[in-house]
Amino acid sequence: MATREPTPQEKARLDAIRAQWQQRRKINERFGKIAHKIAVYSGKGGVGKTTVSVNLAASLAAQGERVGILDADIDCPNIVNAMKVQSQPDYKNGEFTPATQWGVKVLSMGFFQENQEEAIIFRGPMIHNTLTQFMENTDWGEMDYLIVDMPPGTSDAALTIMQTLPLDGFVVVTGPQELAALDARRSINMVRKLNMSVLGVVENFSGEIMGSGAGEVLASSIGAPFLGALELRADYRDTSRPGVLISPAVKGEYESIVERLKESLSNLEPAS
């Protein structure tokens, strides 16, 4: 009995499945050289997600860890400015090599803007393609930690990262206010619907002015570790370097968060 030839539509569908599988394999090979891949996430912008990403990375690098940051916020990238990166990433033979600043490897869409004030107006498919290109074609080398500064919200860009990148889990950033905690809970619900891990909750802008406690309450209510609170300090006015490299108080707060984060990561590993 003769075998039926696939229709053009069936052939196109099979070709797409093969391409997606090859892409996923390449990404897994790239990121297989990185021991821990941690996304820093929030339900909305404005809670200090990028500040937390930068200071976590700088704190880990100061401890001698091999660290990188992937800025996954394609249409509003801030990592280049936050890290004050002076060099540019290399791009040869279709492959990115990240720039380095403060001992941290950095890749961001911000490197490819002629004018940082220019709006990056991308529809969902373009954001997806750019993120995939960064993930598939970047040589991070062997590292201990990759910090992924996530786009805020629960739409296409965040979904692309969650479905494509082999992450260990998420650090969720909230402010001390009720609405910030509500948005953080929404992002946590998305993470858990996709069967991924919440490594812990960080409360930013904590203290007398904005209040405190919402982060710890949120962490308790979802059964996740509370990694710590970060006070709203005047030290952050100096933006020449990450706060952990300027202020002993900020450094101490992040060292405590890093210690708890490492403990949370170790709890994910199966007992030997």
Side-chain angles (χ1 to χ4, degrees):
M1 184 175 177
T3 304
R4 181 179 70 84
E5 288 291 323
T7 66
Q9 293 83 357
E10 290 170 337
K11 187 176 184 300
R13 192 178 301 115
L14 286 170
D15 288 344
I17 291 170
R18 289 192 193 99
Q20 188 177 42
W21 181 83
Q22 290 171 352
Q23 183 183 78
R24 183 65 60 87
R25 183 182 66 176
K26 187 172 182 181
I27 289 171
N28 285 339
E29 287 175 353
R30 291 282 193 193
F31 289 91
K33 299 177 182 178
I34 304 170
H36 301 295
K37 296 154 288 276
I38 301 164
V40 179
Y41 190 32
S42 63
K44 281 190 179 179
V47 295
K49 173 180 53 61
T50 295
T51 299
V52 171
S53 297
V54 163
N55 282 285
L56 277 179
S59 186
L60 286 162
Q63 294 178 5
E65 307 283 8
R66 298 168 297 176
V67 188
I69 291 184
L70 171 61
D71 187 349
D73 197 348
I74 297 300
D75 56 356
C76 196
N78 286 318
I79 288 292
V80 174
N81 278 336
M83 288 289 288
K84 296 294 185 288
V85 186
Q86 301 299 315
S87 59
Q88 288 285 320
D90 288 331
Y91 184 71
K92 294 179 182 177
N93 302 318
E95 185 172 275
F96 296 104
T97 300
T100 302
Q101 181 75 322
W102 315 119
V104 178
K105 296 180 180 181
V106 182
L107 186 66
S108 169
M109 187 69 184
F111 288 117
F112 308 105
Q113 288 180 280
E114 291 185 8
N115 178 359
Q116 66 177 1
E117 296 180 2
E118 177 187 0
I120 299 174
I121 305 173
F122 281 4
R123 292 189 183 274
M126 291 183 69
I127 291 175
H128 171 86
N129 290 339
T130 302
L131 283 170
T132 303
Q133 186 178 7
F134 278 175
M135 289 186 282
E136 187 177 2
N137 299 322
T138 301
D139 181 12
W140 292 98
E142 293 188 0
M143 293 197 307
D144 301 303
Y145 293 90
L146 177 70
I147 305 298
V148 181
D149 185 33
M150 290 284 288
T154 57
S155 57
D156 282 356
L159 188 61
T160 293
I161 295 291
M162 292 181 188
Q163 292 184 327
T164 309
L165 188 58
L167 293 164
D168 291 279
F170 292 74
V171 170
V172 176
V173 182
T174 183
Q177 310 96 325
E178 179 183 353
L179 289 180
L182 174 59
D183 291 334
R185 187 181 292 274
R186 288 169 176 158
S187 63
I188 289 165
N189 287 339
M190 181 176 181
V191 169
R192 290 188 164 171
K193 280 182 180 179
L194 293 170
N195 297 315
M196 305 183 83
S197 298
V198 177
L199 297 170
V201 175
V202 171
E203 180 178 295
N204 196 25
F205 305 134
S206 185
E208 183 179 348
I209 295 174
M210 304 290 284
S212 61
E216 191 165 7
V217 170
L218 175 62
S220 176
S221 70
I222 64 169
F226 179 59
L227 300 180
L230 299 163
E231 283 198 30
L232 182 61
R233 299 179 183 278
D235 306 60
Y236 289 106
R237 292 177 184 171
D238 184 348
T239 60
S240 62
R241 289 177 290 167
V244 295
L245 303 180
I246 298 171
S247 164
V250 173
K251 179 183 177 183
E253 287 176 340
Y254 274 94
E255 285 178 344
S256 296
I257 287 173
V258 165
E259 182 179 352
R260 295 184 189 116
L261 177 58
K262 288 182 176 181
E263 182 179 349
S264 185
L265 283 166
S266 69
N267 290 336
L268 293 179
E269 299 170 359
S272 55

